[in-house]
Amino acid sequence: MRIVIQRTKHASVTIDGRQKSAIGTGILVLVGIEDSDGKEDIDWLCRKIVNLRIFDDENGVMNKSILEIGGDILVVSQFTLHASTKKGNRPSYIRAARPEISIPLYEQFCSELGLALGKPVETGEFGADMKVELLNDGPVTICIDTKNKE
């Protein structure tokens, strides 16, 4: 699994002109899934996400986790995170898992992340044409790939 985390002041997802989800202070998680991903990747990422110390403490130092600040999480599926640009100018998405594999894993990831956070996460809609809006706080943007844990 490959994710991009962005620390936010607020973020939202709009589909067909209607807002589906919105959060205040917290993190937006863009998630890309490939065929080889599974429960171990989900478990590792969920622990990593909720414990990342990317929020400021009283001294302005990034020393607090989303758990410590009581923030929210918005998760958006994004197969383009697995784009390959090695050949030509048109990205290839062959590494991205097909919907029959990625939808159950995405749903499991959102559910497990909600359990780790202690409250449900907000989501986009898998496969929809989404308009994602955020105010990136910092900016803080972190990329994590479960294939590069070490």
Side-chain angles (χ1 to χ4, degrees):
M1 293 178 89
R2 184 172 290 165
I3 65 169
V4 174
I5 294 174
Q6 295 181 300
R7 186 175 76 177
T8 68
K9 285 293 187 186
H10 60 81
S12 64
V13 173
T14 301
I15 302 169
D16 294 328
R18 291 187 14 225
Q19 187 177 82
K20 182 189 184 302
S21 300
I23 63 168
T25 299
I27 52 180
L28 169 66
V29 179
L30 305 173
V31 59
I33 298 168
E34 59 184 317
D35 288 340
S36 62
D37 292 332
K39 176 92 167 92
E40 182 180 311
D41 298 289
I42 290 170
D43 292 343
W44 185 82
L45 273 179
C46 289
R47 282 191 308 275
K48 182 64 80 174
I49 291 167
V50 299
N51 290 299
L52 273 178
R53 297 183 341 198
I54 60 171
F55 293 92
D56 292 349
D57 64 14
E58 53 282 348
N59 298 314
V61 176
M62 286 196 292
N63 205 24
K64 290 191 173 189
S65 71
I66 189 97
L67 293 171
E68 293 171 295
I69 67 148
D72 297 314
I73 298 178
L74 172 58
V75 180
V76 176
S77 62
Q78 190 165 353
F79 73 93
T80 60
L81 291 178
H82 286 292
S84 173
T85 57
K86 289 182 180 179
K87 292 185 347 184
N89 293 318
R90 183 174 182 203
S92 168
Y93 304 105
I94 198 161
R95 285 192 54 208
R98 295 184 357 188
E100 58 269 18
I101 292 171
S102 55
I103 291 173
L105 286 173
Y106 170 75
E107 291 173 350
Q108 185 179 6
F109 174 71
C110 292
S111 177
E112 294 293 325
L113 188 55
L115 289 173
L117 183 63
K119 58 184 170 182
V121 300
E122 295 293 323
T123 64
E125 182 178 311
F126 194 94
D129 180 17
M130 297 175 275
K131 307 304 178 214
V132 179
E133 185 175 351
L134 78 146
L135 178 58
N136 190 322
D137 181 21
V140 174
T141 302
I142 298 171
C143 302
I144 302 174
D145 191 321
T146 60
K147 304 308 183 253
N148 299 321
K149 291 180 198 169
E150 297 167 19

